[in-house]
Amino acid sequence: MLKHIVMWKLKDEAEGADRATNAREMKRRLDACADIVPGQLTFEVVLAQEGLEATYDVVLYSEFTDRAALQAYIEHPVHKAVVPFIGAIREGRQCMDYEV
């Protein structure tokens, strides 16, 4: 099994909206990527929650059966459609993939 974790820090303002609005829109768009390919086991998008420690604004936690399933997700048109929006609103990104 392969785990794919991505964390984004968003710009204060981008695409005509503030950080909180963009975070909600990003989550909405990423949620549409759940279950788009065979081998996608877990897909969870969460936003930083007030009152809890967070150094990033949006986190994606996902699990795939193998590298081929993750690659299929990355190349899927639904996922590719989200990438330009995220690129426009993000200040920083961290990612880690690992096998268990």
Side-chain angles (χ1 to χ4, degrees):
M1 178 171 51
L2 188 85
K3 296 189 180 191
H4 173 68
I5 301 169
V6 188
M7 301 181 297
W8 295 271
K9 181 78 173 165
L10 304 185
K11 297 174 183 175
D12 288 336
E13 290 189 23
E15 299 296 293
D18 63 16
R19 176 183 289 172
T21 301
N22 281 332
R24 288 189 301 273
E25 177 62 16
M26 181 176 168
K27 178 179 177 6
R28 185 190 71 74
R29 292 182 187 204
L30 282 171
D31 282 342
C33 294
D35 299 320
I36 59 173
V37 297
Q40 195 172 359
L41 304 173
T42 302
F43 195 86
E44 181 178 63
V45 181
V46 294
L47 305 180
Q49 299 173 11
E50 192 172 323
L52 296 174
E53 184 175 352
T55 54
Y56 284 83
D57 300 300
V58 182
V59 175
L60 166 64
Y61 173 82
S62 53
E63 296 176 347
F64 296 85
T65 53
D66 53 28
R67 291 178 188 205
L70 173 59
Q71 192 61 39
Y73 162 76
I74 290 168
E75 294 174 4
H76 194 281
V78 173
H79 173 260
K80 285 189 166 196
V82 176
V83 172
F85 177 73
I86 294 173
I89 66 168
R90 75 177 172 134
E91 180 178 296
R93 175 185 179 271
Q94 297 294 319
C95 179
M96 184 170 180
D97 297 332
Y98 61 97
E99 291 181 302
V100 293

